[in-house]
Amino acid sequence: MSRTLRKGMSDAIVVLVLVLVAVALTLSVSLIGFSLFRNYGAQNIIAVRGEPSIVSQGGKYILNLTLQNQGTTTILIESVSIGANVVNTTVFSLPGGSIQTLHIYLNVGYLPSNTDIQVAIKTSSQLEPVFYTYAVVS
């Protein structure tokens, strides 16, 4: 009788190694996915409440704007602009879950009454860094 000498790993060890590699790959992919999407999901969304208005007061224009932070962390309103040249860079802080009315002074010469003017609001949110609304001049 001849004896066959078998060299290599047994089937049980091969299966064990394959299971360990599969578990390690699954954990790596899930860790990468959760770390990427955790930051995206934690971003805040800001909503405009009511109708923004621009009023003339003593020769100056004031934009009255009510914003709601629908997220859980504080977001910054970095600038508010109307048109291409009128920008107010006063930074406003909007805590998570809060609603605040902002009174923003605009350095502009003349705005015609009863017109809608586009307002661009720049935020610190990566989800929606700039959003637009319209304000009525009264």
Side-chain angles (χ1 to χ4, degrees), residues 52-55 61-65 80 102-106 119 135:
S53 64
I54 299 175
V55 296
Y61 288 96
I62 301 170
L63 170 65
N64 298 310
L65 180 68
V80 177
L102 307 177
H103 306 287
I104 302 164
Y105 292 90
L106 301 171
V119 178

Side-chain angles (χ1 to χ4, degrees), residues 39-131:
N39 292 336
Y40 184 77
Q43 292 296 320
N44 296 333
I45 295 176
I46 294 180
V48 176
R49 296 289 173 224
E51 185 174 357
S53 64
I54 299 175
V55 296
S56 176
Q57 196 172 51
K60 296 183 180 180
Y61 288 96
I62 301 170
L63 170 65
N64 298 310
L65 180 68
T66 302
L67 299 176
Q68 177 182 10
N69 184 346
Q70 297 177 335
T72 57
T73 59
T74 299
I75 195 164
L76 300 177
I77 308 301
E78 296 174 345
S79 70
V80 177
S81 61
I82 61 170
N85 299 326
V86 181
V87 179
N88 184 314
T89 56
T90 303
V91 177
F92 297 94
S93 177
L94 193 60
S98 69
I99 299 175
Q100 288 186 4
T101 300
L102 307 177
H103 306 287
I104 302 164
Y105 292 90
L106 301 171
N107 189 12
V108 61
Y110 171 75
L111 295 174
S113 295
N114 299 324
T115 57
D116 291 335
I117 295 182
Q118 186 179 36
V119 178
I121 302 164
K122 183 179 177 188
T123 70
S124 62
S125 172
Q126 295 173 352
L127 186 61
E128 191 175 18
V130 178
F131 67 96

